[in-house]
Amino acid sequence: MNDSVPAPTPRRARVRAPELVGRGGWLNTGGTEYTLADLRGRIVVLDFWTFCCINCLHVLDELRELEEKHRDTVVIIGVHSPKFAHEAEHAAVVDAVERYGVEHPVLDDPELVTWKQYAVRAWPTLVVIDPEGYVVAQHAGEGHAHAIEKLVEELEAEHAAKGTLRRGDGPYVAPEPVATDLRFPGKALLLPSGNFLVSDTTRHQLVELAADGESVVRRIGSGERGFGPESFNEPQGLALLDGDTVVVADTVNHALRAVDLTTGAISTLAGTGRQWWQGSPTSGPARETDLSSPWDVAVFGQKVWIAMAGVHQLWTYDPERETVAVAAGTTNEGLVDGPGAEAWFAQPSGLAATEERLWVADSETSALRYVDLDGAVHTAVGTGLFDFGHRDGDAGQALFQHPLGVTALPDGSVAVSDTYNHALRRYDPATGEVSTLATDLREPSDAVVIGDDIVVVESARHRLTRLRLPEEAVRVESVAHRTQRAATEVAGGKLRLDVIFQAPAGQKLDTRYGPSTRLLVSATPPGLLVAGDGPGTDLTRELVLDPAVPEGVLHVSAMAASCDDDPANEYPACHVHQQDWGVPVRVAEGGADRLPLVLAGMDA
């Protein structure tokens, strides 16, 4: 007989949830404005996101199963919190909600009011509110859906017993569908026939258009999300592998697919359908290796190069050996040049190959980068994660805003689809000058050259637009921006960095093979950090900031692995939790001497 008393489940911290406020109002509610009081009795999951952010898009996909399984008890609310100036435009948020298939209410918070009330520091962040209106958990980054589901099940049982759980239909109201031939197209390819192949991203298809760029010749793919032999999932980039085969970056399937232009048959070249996580193989047989949100593809140096937006890297696919491998990037997010193995990217989203260079639209740094024949990475235009705008002139001071596409032009220059500036820009390597070719485009995401014309994918106008390549560039008034996100005031000298991680209920840190946590810290400019940079396994670290450097960005990357805490289970299920923070800081007298960043749990 066992007389021991089981230890009680520790009580969760209870903090009253701040109200939901956003000047942009509500989407996907049929016009109804909601308060937290209206949602009392339901479990509310706030998803702080911004539509430029690939990690936010990953979380949208992670939440779909939770959303469906607990539809009568859980209300997911997306709180759109913009990084870029364009993302603060209400019409752009409306477009993004449709583009990415968001099937829950969204609060448009262009001034970051609710973001600040909840002390959010990173995109994406998930906050769980119980049926009585208290915050009970916060998670930053990806990989938390399983932990939130366990918490939801606990809350359902607890509040059903208390009589405080209210079941029923949620507040989501689907918008009316709009009939267009294309819906948020991503990339385009000129076929040998003179027709265009376009990735019709939101409808999970490829569409072949006649040479006029308007008449539909055929559709490839079922139009339903899937990874089967007739399906895509938000396809993006396209490249011609040979006269009969097109390589497709099947973004949300985390795969490269091939389309036979003769038959329309779809097959898989690379990827497993699973998302790559830290610790996964970085090379190997193509169909056995996980990928992460491939956004564009281009043939360069006998290989297919992949803009692997989900992990801030460039990979290659070797068609002869049928293998994939990392070519450049460390998975750290930022702008660092040098040998491929040391370079940093930030969501590379567009590729264009010439004989000597692979051009890269590096969207989150609003930068134009390139890889040379030796594999080294260089920056032509751009300065970092938080500087963007529309400024022409010398490349050293020119600005883009989240470009998604780049196109090689016949004269050796390149056209940049400057997506959030609604413009087509040009960079000339011979002069080092940036100019504007066209404005009044709506979220251009790619372009194709045909003779003296350039055909632009106007993603948010759902069409291809043909322009004559101008001999002289358009002139626009210069605008420079920095992200609206406020800098954190910190004291010069010692700064305690605490990354908070609490393993989900029923799990523990996985220490079977050594430390299960990882922390990497750096700064822009590097001189901001006197001590405390580099890798380590402890999630708490003492940093030393140089008081003579007035401001900068702390780059913090954290990872923790947790497994089911069941001694009887020889093969427990394990999960990786990870997040990268770019924290703007300002050194000020009287500033904070502690910087808490919540990976999972609550900051006590």
Side-chain angles (χ1 to χ4, degrees):
M1 182 176 177
N2 187 350
D3 294 326
S4 64
V5 178
T9 302
R11 289 186 61 82
R12 286 183 292 270
R14 284 160 60 89
V15 178
R16 176 64 73 178
E19 191 51 83
L20 304 178
V21 181
R23 182 172 56 80
W26 291 80
L27 304 174
N28 281 357
T29 64
T32 302
E33 304 272 324
Y34 282 93
T35 66
L36 283 175
D38 299 325
L39 303 170
R40 198 62 47 82
R42 312 299 290 273
I43 300 163
V44 177
V45 179
L46 303 181
D47 175 15
F48 288 87
W49 70 300
T50 187
F51 63 78
C52 71
C53 160
I54 190 66
N55 311 91
C56 300
L57 304 186
H58 290 166
V59 166
L60 283 176
D61 290 311
E62 288 179 8
L63 292 176
R64 292 185 200 279
E65 186 176 342
L66 175 75
E67 205 164 15
E68 182 60 37
K69 187 174 178 181
H70 298 272
R71 190 170 291 279
D72 66 333
T73 59
V74 172
V75 175
I76 296 176
I77 294 175
V79 182
H80 190 268
S81 312
K83 171 186 174 181
F84 290 99
H86 170 59
E87 292 175 304
E89 298 174 17
H90 183 70
V93 181
V94 173
D95 285 345
V97 167
E98 180 188 350
R99 181 196 299 266
Y100 297 115
V102 180
E103 295 185 353
H104 50 248
V106 173
L107 175 66
D108 181 11
D109 183 19
E111 294 162 346
L112 303 181
V113 174
T114 297
W115 164 286
K116 292 171 186 173
Q117 287 292 314
Y118 281 83
V120 175
R121 292 184 181 273
W123 297 277
T125 290
L126 298 168
V127 175
V128 182
I129 302 171
D130 73 12
E132 294 180 289
Y134 290 91
V135 174
V136 292
Q138 182 172 328
H139 302 264
E142 305 177 47
H144 301 295
H146 68 285
I148 291 176
E149 178 159 15
K150 283 182 175 291
L151 177 56
V152 163
E153 290 170 352
E154 289 180 11
L155 292 171
E156 285 175 339
E158 175 186 338
H159 288 273
K162 291 173 65 174
T164 50
L165 183 69
R166 178 165 58 91
R167 295 180 181 271
D169 293 334
Y172 170 68
V173 177
E176 290 293 323
V178 182
T180 53
D181 288 331
L182 301 173
R183 203 71 192 161
F184 298 106
K187 304 289 184 180
L189 176 68
L190 183 64
L191 297 175
S193 65
N195 289 352
F196 298 94
L197 191 64
V198 183
S199 52
D200 196 16
T201 304
T202 297
R203 291 192 176 137
H204 317 296
Q205 290 182 317
L206 306 184
V207 178
E208 184 175 347
L209 300 177
D212 61 9
E214 297 179 8
S215 305
V216 176
V217 175
R218 62 172 167 168
R219 295 180 179 274
I220 301 171
S222 66
E224 300 292 330
R225 290 182 188 271
F227 192 40
E230 297 181 354
S231 301
F232 298 106
N233 196 343
E234 297 185 24
Q236 288 280 352
L238 308 167
L240 203 61
L241 190 58
D242 54 49
D244 298 314
T245 307
V246 171
V247 181
V248 183
D250 196 4
T251 304
V252 179
N253 275 330
H254 309 295
L256 290 193
R257 314 296 292 282
V259 171
D260 185 313
L261 290 174
T262 303
T263 64
I266 302 167
S267 58
T268 299
L269 295 176
T272 62
R274 298 184 301 269
Q275 184 182 341
W276 187 95
W277 288 97
Q278 292 288 350
S280 303
T282 55
S283 63
R287 285 185 289 274
E288 299 173 18
T289 305
D290 298 340
L291 308 181
S292 182
S293 297
W295 206 275
D296 203 4
V297 282
V299 177
F300 179 63
Q302 308 304 311
K303 293 182 180 178
V304 177
W305 285 64
I306 310 163
M308 203 72 78
V311 285
H312 317 299
Q313 291 179 312
L314 302 181
W315 287 45
T316 57
Y317 165 71
D318 187 327
E320 289 191 10
R321 294 182 173 85
E322 297 187 349
T323 57
V324 291
V326 173
T330 63
T331 76
N332 296 316
E333 184 179 15
L335 193 153
V336 177
D337 290 340
E342 300 172 13
W344 292 22
F345 293 94
Q347 216 167 296
S349 301
L351 300 175
T354 64
E355 287 188 6
E356 296 184 348
R357 292 181 178 181
L358 178 73
W359 293 97
V360 183
D362 201 26
S363 62
E364 279 293 289
T365 51
S366 297
L368 175 64
R369 321 277 296 275
Y370 66 90
V371 180
D372 63 24
L373 293 174
D374 295 325
V377 177
H378 309 263
T379 298
V381 182
T383 57
L385 282 165
F386 299 105
D387 295 302
F388 55 91
H390 191 149
R391 182 193 286 155
D392 287 337
D394 179 75
Q397 54 84 55
L399 295 171
F400 299 129
Q401 186 180 178
H402 198 80
L404 290 178
V406 59
T407 306
L409 299 179
D411 64 356
S413 65
V414 290
V416 177
S417 294
D418 194 5
T419 310
Y420 288 3
N421 278 329
H422 310 300
L424 191 67
R425 312 285 294 283
R426 176 177 177 265
Y427 168 70
D428 186 350
T431 64
E433 292 286 311
V434 174
S435 55
T436 298
L437 296 175
T439 58
D440 193 32
L441 301 167
R442 187 71 186 170
E443 292 193 16
S445 54
D446 196 18
V448 178
V449 174
I450 303 177
D452 293 331
D453 293 344
I454 189 164
V455 176
V456 181
V457 179
E458 275 198 273
S459 187
R461 284 198 176 116
H462 320 293
R463 70 187 188 193
L464 302 188
T465 299
R466 186 181 293 258
L467 305 170
R468 179 56 55 98
L469 278 171
E471 293 182 9
E472 293 185 3
V474 177
R475 292 190 178 276
V476 298
E477 186 176 347
S478 294
V479 179
H481 297 289
R482 280 184 67 83
T483 180
Q484 290 190 50
R485 183 177 166 193
T488 299
E489 290 200 345
V490 294
K494 293 181 179 179
L495 176 68
R496 177 186 169 95
L497 171 66
D498 285 330
V499 174
I500 292 111
F501 177 75
Q502 294 156 7
Q507 295 193 356
K508 64 178 181 179
L509 287 173
D510 178 21
T511 55
R512 291 171 298 166
Y513 308 108
S516 61
T517 55
R518 188 193 71 166
L519 182 66
L520 178 67
V521 181
S522 62
T524 303
L528 175 64
L529 268 180
V530 176
D533 62 335
T537 57
D538 194 339
L539 294 182
T540 294
R541 186 179 300 184
E542 184 176 278
L543 311 181
V544 180
L545 306 187
D546 186 346
V549 179
E551 62 180 8
V553 179
L554 291 175
H555 303 281
V556 181
S557 178
M559 185 272 288
S562 62
C563 295
D564 291 344
D565 188 9
D566 181 1
N569 186 355
E570 187 178 355
Y571 302 104
C574 297
H575 304 274
V576 175
H577 317 255
Q578 65 181 46
Q579 172 62 13
D580 295 333
W581 290 268
V583 184
V585 295
R586 182 179 300 112
V587 177
E589 188 175 345
D593 60 4
R594 175 177 179 264
L595 178 63
L597 299 175
V598 177
L599 179 60
M602 300 284 285
D603 180 17

